[in-house]
Amino acid sequence: MEYATLSNGMKMPMLGMGVFQVPEAECERLVTEDLETGYRLIDTAQAYGNEAAVGRAIRQSGLAREDVFVTSKLSSIINEGQAVQAIEGSLDKLDIDYVDLFLLHAPWGDSYAAWRALEQVLETGRVKAIGVSNFNAGAVADLTVFNRVTPVLDQIEIDPFNQKKTDVAYLRSQGIVPEAWGPLGQGRADLYTNPVLKGLADQHQKTVAQVVLRWNIQRGVVVIPKTTHRERMAENLAVFDFTLTKEEMAAISQLDEAPADFIYDPDYIQQTVAGFVKNWSK
Ligand SMILES: NC(=O)c1ccc[n+]([C@@H]2O[C@H](COP(=O)([O-])OP(=O)(O)OC[C@H]3O[C@@H](n4cnc5c(N)ncnc54)[C@H](OP(=O)(O)O)[C@@H]3O)[C@@H](O)[C@H]2O)c1
């Protein structure tokens, strides 16, 4: 395993397992298998509805708490009190003494209030580090200027066709670790048939998924691929025994299509934020 060093000195595995869209009923077994396979970073969120199952699997694994790095995420809120209440709710559900990294899931709702709540919980020691998700470089700069604690990490959508080069460069310049969600293109089929990626996979006797994960790790981006298949868990983890050359990294760099980001689409935001407001107003 290779590790990223967060700006507060904590070490974080460069590769972990995400559990988005894993139903609560299957999640405990899946995380148990992840841990048995060798994963030591698990990425969950309030919105995934499976924090309790993640916590159970970790408690029952027999691993020392400090050997597993756990990330969860705060959903959008409309005032600071709700945020503290929601973070405490996650800590109770996970029931693993502390969460290594708590992220603000998206730059929506009252994200300043949410960030102040995360700063507050950070002081209690029940959360060891705080960061953001789905913030572009400008939003990170804005949050940093207006607040006491700078995010240690930003989790954004990154794959070979959506490389977020400007955001990644900015984050690295600020000592903020970039992390890729959807690192395998969320199952996008043309990733696996792309001739450049296939050629590199054949060259290294690796799979396309392994090449894609290795590429991000080599550019300093933490990856959290998700799979429900045990053989793919092992496949995705086996990326620390080969290195892509400078020329191979450059060839993947050419695949970027720099698509417009749905996270900033006004219709999407309006719909999603309206949903949060409705939920919290109940
Ligand atoms: N912050 C956010 O807003 C946000 C949003 C989305 C996701 N995330 C996080 O990022 C994690 C990963 O993202 P994701 O799950 O959306 O997408 P992903 O990891 O890019 O892709 C998952 C898909 O790839 C398939 N897959 C996995 N390994 C494979 C392999 N070796 N060969 C072929 N196919 C493979 C999986 O299928 P099988 O399961 O059938 O193997 C699944 O369909 C999530 O679980 C979550 O923790 C965060």
Side-chain angles (χ1 to χ4, degrees):
M1 181 54 67
E2 293 171 19
Y3 294 86
T5 304
L6 305 179
S7 56
N8 65 358
M10 283 169 71
K11 296 256 185 250
M12 172 179 193
M14 287 296 297
L15 187 145
M17 178 66 71
V19 294
F20 177 45
Q21 290 174 328
V22 178
E24 163 85 17
E26 286 165 41
C27 191
E28 184 177 337
R29 179 193 52 81
L30 198 78
V31 174
T32 299
E33 289 180 6
D34 294 335
L35 297 171
E36 285 170 1
T37 309
Y39 285 84
R40 293 293 179 266
L41 161 62
I42 307 292
D43 182 89
T44 182
Q46 292 172 350
Y48 303 169
N50 54 23
E51 289 171 303
V54 169
R56 279 196 303 278
I58 292 170
R59 288 199 304 280
Q60 288 163 18
S61 68
L63 290 165
R65 173 64 191 86
E66 61 273 20
D67 290 341
V68 188
F69 190 107
V70 181
T71 304
S72 192
K73 311 185 196 80
L74 170 65
S75 298
S76 299
I77 50 94
I78 49 180
N79 71 53
E80 197 168 330
Q82 288 166 345
V84 173
Q85 192 190 324
I87 299 165
E88 282 170 356
S90 284
L91 287 163
D92 290 346
K93 281 187 190 138
L94 280 156
D95 193 17
I96 46 171
D97 298 335
Y98 61 89
V99 169
D100 297 87
L101 176 62
F102 227 105
L103 304 179
L104 177 52
H105 207 142
W108 305 324
D110 193 343
S111 50
Y112 297 101
W115 191 251
R116 284 192 298 275
L118 283 163
E119 289 180 333
Q120 207 178 308
V121 182
L122 182 66
E123 279 178 12
T124 68
R126 290 192 75 199
V127 166
K128 301 293 180 199
I130 57 175
V132 292
S133 178
N134 296 310
F135 277 54
N136 67 10
V140 171
D142 177 52
L143 191 79
T144 303
V145 169
F146 275 95
N147 290 283
R148 209 164 33 82
V149 179
T150 299
V152 296
L153 175 146
D154 188 7
Q155 183 182 116
I156 47 182
E157 183 181 16
I158 303 180
D159 63 52
F161 306 127
N162 181 7
Q163 301 191 9
K164 300 272 184 358
K165 289 178 187 171
T166 312
D167 294 309
V168 169
Y170 175 77
L171 294 170
R172 289 170 66 176
S173 76
Q174 301 302 302
I176 300 169
V177 172
E179 179 177 36
W181 68 253
L184 297 175
Q186 298 197 292
R188 189 176 155 164
D190 58 351
L191 187 88
Y192 299 96
T193 53
N194 180 275
V196 172
L197 298 173
K198 259 182 109 346
L200 292 175
D202 292 346
Q203 180 80 13
H204 287 275
Q205 298 187 319
K206 287 286 181 183
T207 64
V208 165
Q210 289 169 326
V211 166
V212 167
L213 296 171
R214 182 72 210 163
W215 159 73
N216 253 331
I217 290 169
Q218 279 186 220
R219 61 200 279 261
V221 177
V222 173
V223 288
I224 43 167
K226 185 216 83 176
T227 179
T228 48
H229 294 94
R230 198 148 186 163
E231 65 281 6
R232 285 180 176 170
M233 285 177 197
E235 174 189 333
N236 294 349
L237 199 56
V239 296
F240 298 102
D241 57 355
F242 75 110
T243 305
L244 298 168
T245 64
K246 211 171 146 197
E247 292 71 29
E248 291 170 337
M249 291 293 285
I252 301 179
S253 179
Q254 299 292 321
L255 301 179
D256 192 14
E257 294 165 359
D261 204 331
F262 77 92
I263 293 289
Y264 300 102
D265 175 75
D267 293 336
Y268 180 80
I269 294 177
Q270 202 168 9
Q271 246 183 26
T272 311
V273 175
F276 287 125
V277 172
K278 206 168 143 199
N279 252 348
W280 278 110
S281 315
K282 271 183 197 159

